[in-house]
Amino acid sequence: MTSPDAPSLLDRDHGLDASSECYPDVVRSVFLAPWAARRSEEPDQPTQLAARTVVALNEVARWANDGQSADPTACAWLAYLRWALSNGACLPADAPVPPQDELDLDFPVLSAPGPHDGDSFQALATGRLGEVARPVLPLAESPEVLARTAPYGLIPNIGWKSLIILALDSAAITHGSPEAQTAAAALALVVHAAARARATGGTLHEVVRETARVASEITRPAPRTHELLALCADPEALAPLWTEPGALASRLGRGDTATEALALGLAALLAVEDSGAAKATGSTNSARNITGDDVAGAARALMAEHGVREGAAHDVAVVVAAARWGLAAAAPADDTDGTAAAASNRNAGDHAVAAPSPPHTPAPGVTATAPQDGKGEEGSAAARAELHALADRWNGLWRP
């Protein structure tokens, strides 16, 4: 539990304040995070599916602004069906054929055909809407569901009770496993709590501890997810797993699941925080101002980069670091060096975090968003520009 004097990072009935000064940058940073994890010439599946989620929620906001209601899960399903169709899915005759939306009309890079591995494409190709009570693929637990669920954590003015329901229902569209559904909802909670921590100066440990507490309220049977969230929330239990070779992998297991990817990403971030200095006191001599790029780069350096689980864990690390500290790539066009984000961090009373060098791990030295050999720079820049434009639309719809 958060100490009595600490501000609540997850409130049952109250959520993010979209009118706050830092909210637009939080939105931009989280939207760009899956892309920033790779900066590939063509947006990968996590980036494209997250963009589809954003478009679906923007549609809900438009209906609400017109004084009408829309079903967020139905909007998400239709958005994901559009993604499946763009990637060659042949839907049954009785499946709905969604019309083009703003992503297809205005964002050619984000809506172009791309990678479609994992359970999401298979589930959507059935043309059926997966529900918590009636799953399409009951055993589906692949980790691509994580990044696409993260934007739910940015919806303003809703507490964790409503957020959990929205995230679970969205994850269940394709993923029938209660473990995967719970892990996806937990990432939305982490993003929400990290965004609030950005304004209050809260730590990642407080974010994860609050997430583990609230996730325990989810009634889906997900003992493994709850176990690993509790592990991440316990610094004393987590610390030895980074210092003993293979200990973390052994504890997590070897499956490429959403639950394990979430835990690995969070554990790496927490290891970075544990390696850092004490709280900043506002003096430039006492602590270094950090960015989400610093934290995400250090966290990614603690993880191998050769598997589905690790790739999804990298996405988790960048998304959460983006929500908490922001990313340089998310700065407005006239602030590409991240000056505004850094100023926001200083005003929030950040904690200094140094790049860790625990035994048996490489020393972090590369940020999470560095392009490789200049490949795909033009396409990468186009993807960044479209994600910025998508964030602008979100902020225009959701901010008062």
Side-chain angles (χ1 to χ4, degrees):
M1 295 284 293
T2 305
S3 66
D5 296 330
S8 175
L9 299 179
L10 289 171
D11 185 279
R12 180 184 178 91
D13 300 309
H14 300 89
L16 299 178
D17 179 5
S19 66
S20 69
E21 183 179 354
C22 66
Y23 183 81
D25 186 71
V26 172
V27 170
R28 287 192 300 268
S29 294
V30 171
F31 284 10
L32 267 78
W35 165 85
R38 296 169 182 82
R39 282 199 179 183
S40 56
E41 181 177 359
E42 299 178 353
D44 57 5
Q45 181 172 336
T47 302
Q48 290 192 324
L49 283 175
R52 294 287 176 176
T53 299
V54 170
V55 168
L57 292 175
N58 278 350
E59 184 68 16
V60 173
R62 287 191 182 92
W63 282 95
N65 291 341
D66 289 338
Q68 302 182 62
S69 62
D71 183 344
T73 304
C75 289
W77 180 43
L78 292 175
Y80 300 150
L81 283 178
R82 294 183 191 102
W83 170 80
L85 286 169
S86 74
N87 283 293
C90 297
L91 301 182
D94 60 348
V97 180
Q100 289 186 319
D101 63 7
E102 65 173 324
L103 201 75
D104 302 298
L105 295 172
D106 301 334
F107 298 86
V109 176
L110 293 176
S111 61
H116 47 277
D117 299 325
D119 296 315
S120 295
F121 184 82
Q122 182 183 350
L124 292 165
T126 67
R128 292 187 288 133
L129 170 62
E131 300 176 85
V132 170
R134 289 179 292 276
V136 173
L137 301 179
L139 301 180
E141 55 182 357
S142 54
E144 82 274 0
V145 71
L146 294 171
R148 83 166 202 232
T149 311
Y152 284 89
L154 298 174
I155 300 175
N157 305 320
I158 64 169
W160 61 255
K161 182 180 180 182
S162 298
L163 174 55
I164 285 174
I165 294 172
L166 289 170
L168 285 177
D169 287 346
S170 177
I173 292 172
T174 57
H175 284 60
S177 164
E179 296 280 5
Q181 294 167 9
T182 304
L187 180 57
L189 290 171
V190 172
V191 168
H192 182 106
R196 298 193 78 171
R198 182 171 180 175
T200 65
T203 68
L204 284 177
H205 272 290
E206 290 170 343
V207 167
V208 174
R209 188 163 59 244
E210 278 287 274
T211 298
R213 175 184 67 83
V214 171
S216 66
E217 301 285 339
I218 300 176
T219 57
R220 302 295 289 142
R224 183 62 171 160
T225 304
H226 293 310
E227 174 194 354
L228 293 183
L229 282 174
L231 172 67
C232 290
D234 184 350
E236 293 185 1
L238 190 61
L241 300 182
W242 284 116
T243 58
E244 300 173 13
L248 183 65
S250 176
R251 183 68 181 270
L252 292 180
R254 297 185 179 277
D256 292 329
T257 70
T259 292
E260 293 174 354
L262 174 67
L264 181 58
L266 293 179
L269 285 170
L270 292 167
V272 174
E273 182 170 78
D274 284 343
S275 72
K279 294 181 179 180
T281 62
S283 168
T284 56
N285 295 325
S286 62
R288 179 173 63 93
N289 291 312
I290 59 170
T291 69
D293 302 275
D294 295 329
V295 180
R300 291 185 65 192
L302 296 178
M303 297 182 276
E305 196 167 355
H306 54 69
V308 172
R309 179 183 66 175
E310 288 75 16
H314 292 174
D315 291 334
V316 169
V318 181
V319 165
V320 176
R324 176 58 184 83
W325 286 282
L327 299 177
D334 58 351
D335 185 38
T336 53
D337 63 350
T339 302
S344 175
N345 287 342
R346 286 193 295 271
N347 293 336
D350 265 326
H351 298 78
V353 178
S357 297
H360 315 290
T361 59
V366 180
T367 64
T369 58
Q372 296 181 2
D373 303 325
K375 295 180 180 179
E377 289 184 358
E378 183 176 349
S380 179
R384 176 182 180 270
E386 289 193 3
L387 288 165
H388 267 271
L390 197 59
D392 288 342
R393 292 195 182 184
W394 174 288
N395 286 321
L397 288 165
W398 287 99
R399 297 193 81 203

